Amino acid sequence: MKVARLFFGFCALLPGLARPLAAQDTPSTPSPNMEATLSALAITVQPEAYNRDCRPLHTLLLDSNYRAYLEAPNFSLDEQYVIITDYGTRYDNAGWQYVPQTISTVGLAAAYAWCERGDTTALQLAVSQAEWLVKQAQDRGDFVTWLYNFPSPSFFVPAGWTSALGNGQAIVLLTQLYLLGGDPRYLDTARQAVNSYRVDMTDGGVRSTLDDGSVVFEEYAHPDAPVSFVLNGHIIAVDSLAYFAAATGDSAAAALVEEGIQAVRNRLSDFDGSSTTFYSLGPVPWGSARTHYAHGIHVRGLFWMYTRTGDPTFLQYAFDWQRYKWPPLPADVYRDTVSPESFMAALPDQQRWLVEPADSQAFILDLRQVQPLRSFAYNMVGPYPADYEVAVSEDGVNWT
């Protein structure tokens, strides 16, 4: 028997210290002793008021290691236990900043740590980040958004910009905490933030429209900024909207997801550099993402879009783009999102498929060329399926 693609997939963990952004008030210089700060953290939340069922999972950025941020020298906590970021001399000497995207990402990691381990410190941190988001949401009448108080010269964006990526992360954290604790303020703020994706960035929202009608959710949005279409930011924004739609049944958010997916479908070839993918399309095509964490988001995002739409175009580009990755993953095995509820943990000298307990789980392994297949075996740790099937395909579409 010959097989070109026996599927093996995952949602890799985004590196814990992925590129942050920045916003709103300017904090004072923090204390460098993070462990002492955490030890002295006052637990004011009532843990018994929160469940520990973190579902649905926001798989493209699934991570529960909130301490990775807190232990890094450019991150700290203010007196309200809100994370702040030190940019030093970057971005016109931005120094210490409140960064909505980082605040949201750390809050979400802490929420997952609460769900996984019952970590009450993590729960307090998650709630502290959510409270900041509620208080700092900028009311624009029909929507809310969060601002970043420094320029981004690479994208010709002045201070005071907003972000579809950052808003998306805030939406996920606020929605997750609403599901865990039931505070209606969190859901209300998240719902208002979803509306920012319906408003053009010339009017303060995060949306732009290309000449072909493609709707882009801009990572760097400002009334005076040019269209940039940063692909990883757009993908995470779309995934965040899909999370909100799945968690709440919001049909308008689901429609935004379809608009965002269509934009990627329309412009896939523009992001393909034959041996790399481009980080953005404008103001000029900006940089190779081949060695950048963004390239992994590109590939995982396309696998996710394939599982959502069944469009083989996404699958083919995902297979092509994962071959561009450098350095290659261990054993030259490329692993990316296939099942939205599944993820891979890459540990030293190990490759493990971790999956939430549920029916009909699947993974995909691309052998990259036709290979003889005589047998198949895998080792299971912990709970194991009562039954399974192995299917083979030469094109990733038709299976036997």
Side-chain angles (χ1 to χ4, degrees):
M1 180 183 296
K2 301 284 188 177
V3 59
R5 293 189 176 107
L6 174 74
F7 283 96
F8 177 95
F10 84 122
C11 177
L13 303 183
L14 183 69
L17 301 181
R19 180 172 54 91
L21 309 176
Q24 335 298 342
D25 306 322
T26 301
S28 58
T29 302
S31 167
N33 193 335
M34 182 57 62
E35 197 58 44
T37 300
L38 284 178
S39 298
L41 188 148
I43 306 298
T44 59
V45 297
Q46 301 298 318
E48 62 274 12
Y50 292 82
N51 68 68
R52 291 175 53 193
D53 185 12
C54 278
R55 294 172 182 267
L57 296 175
H58 187 229
T59 53
L60 285 185
L61 295 179
L62 181 61
D63 188 1
S64 63
N65 187 15
Y66 66 92
R67 285 179 174 267
Y69 292 86
L70 304 183
E71 293 168 358
N74 60 319
F75 296 111
S76 191
L77 296 176
D78 73 0
E79 62 278 5
Q80 301 300 319
Y81 309 116
V82 176
I83 194 159
I84 49 179
T85 303
D86 183 17
Y87 287 105
T89 59
R90 298 171 61 202
Y91 307 115
D92 291 348
N93 295 301
W96 288 96
Q97 295 282 337
Y98 290 105
V99 185
Q101 184 265 335
T102 305
I103 289 168
S104 302
T105 301
V106 172
L108 189 58
Y112 286 145
W114 159 251
C115 288
E116 289 178 6
R117 303 186 291 275
D119 184 337
T120 55
T121 296
L123 176 61
Q124 181 66 60
L125 285 173
V127 171
S128 295
Q129 312 318 298
E131 286 297 316
W132 186 94
L133 290 170
V134 170
K135 294 172 184 175
Q136 295 293 332
Q138 304 295 301
D139 189 350
R140 296 291 189 261
D142 294 333
F143 66 96
V144 301
T145 193
W146 292 270
L147 301 182
Y148 299 75
N149 285 341
F150 62 89
S152 181
S154 297
F155 293 92
F156 304 95
V157 177
W161 50 281
T162 187
S163 173
L165 168 61
N167 285 10
Q169 288 299 89
I171 288 167
V172 174
L173 172 59
L174 292 168
T175 305
Q176 184 67 82
L177 281 181
Y178 166 75
L179 295 174
L180 294 178
D183 190 329
R185 297 176 303 134
Y186 297 157
L187 183 61
D188 182 60
T189 304
R191 196 180 300 280
Q192 292 181 67
V194 169
N195 291 336
S196 69
Y197 295 86
R198 300 188 179 94
V199 180
D200 194 271
M201 67 176 181
T202 58
D203 295 317
V206 297
R207 179 188 184 104
S208 65
T209 305
L210 305 183
D211 291 341
D212 64 356
S214 297
V215 172
V216 178
F217 302 132
E218 297 284 6
E219 182 171 342
Y220 302 96
H222 188 278
D224 298 328
V227 172
S228 58
F229 200 165
V230 176
L231 183 56
N232 83 94
H234 176 87
I235 287 172
I236 293 172
V238 173
D239 185 52
S240 299
L241 290 167
Y243 173 95
F244 183 82
T248 65
D250 190 300
S251 60
L256 291 169
V257 172
E258 297 310 311
E259 285 187 313
I261 290 175
Q262 185 60 46
V264 177
R265 182 185 285 114
N266 292 346
R267 293 303 183 107
L268 276 170
S269 62
D270 294 335
F271 284 101
D272 192 326
S274 297
S275 61
T276 186
T277 56
F278 293 114
Y279 185 79
S280 70
L281 297 186
V284 294
W286 190 76
S288 165
R290 192 179 188 210
T291 60
H292 197 280
Y293 83 93
H295 182 78
I297 296 294
H298 294 174
V299 177
R300 294 197 292 277
L302 295 193
F303 273 116
W304 173 75
M305 290 181 184
Y306 167 69
T307 64
R308 184 179 179 92
T309 67
D311 185 343
T313 303
F314 290 124
L315 185 64
Q316 186 58 60
Y317 270 91
F319 283 138
D320 290 342
W321 287 5
Q322 66 184 3
R323 285 193 284 270
Y324 301 164
K325 186 173 177 61
W326 185 263
L329 291 168
D332 204 30
V333 175
Y334 296 91
R335 304 158 300 168
D336 285 280
T337 301
V338 172
S339 173
E341 296 297 329
S342 306
F343 65 94
M344 166 69 74
L347 303 176
D349 302 318
Q350 296 185 53
Q351 294 168 6
R352 298 190 299 159
W353 171 258
L354 306 181
V355 63
E356 293 293 321
D359 293 334
S360 302
Q361 299 292 341
F363 63 84
I364 300 174
L365 171 62
D366 179 10
L367 300 180
R368 298 190 294 167
Q369 62 184 13
V370 174
Q371 299 280 1
L373 180 64
R374 297 182 178 89
S375 64
F376 173 78
Y378 67 99
N379 296 321
M380 292 173 286
V381 178
Y384 58 89
D387 193 15
Y388 65 89
E389 294 181 354
V390 177
V392 296
S393 172
E394 293 189 353
D395 57 11
V397 177
N398 301 299
W399 297 88
T400 57

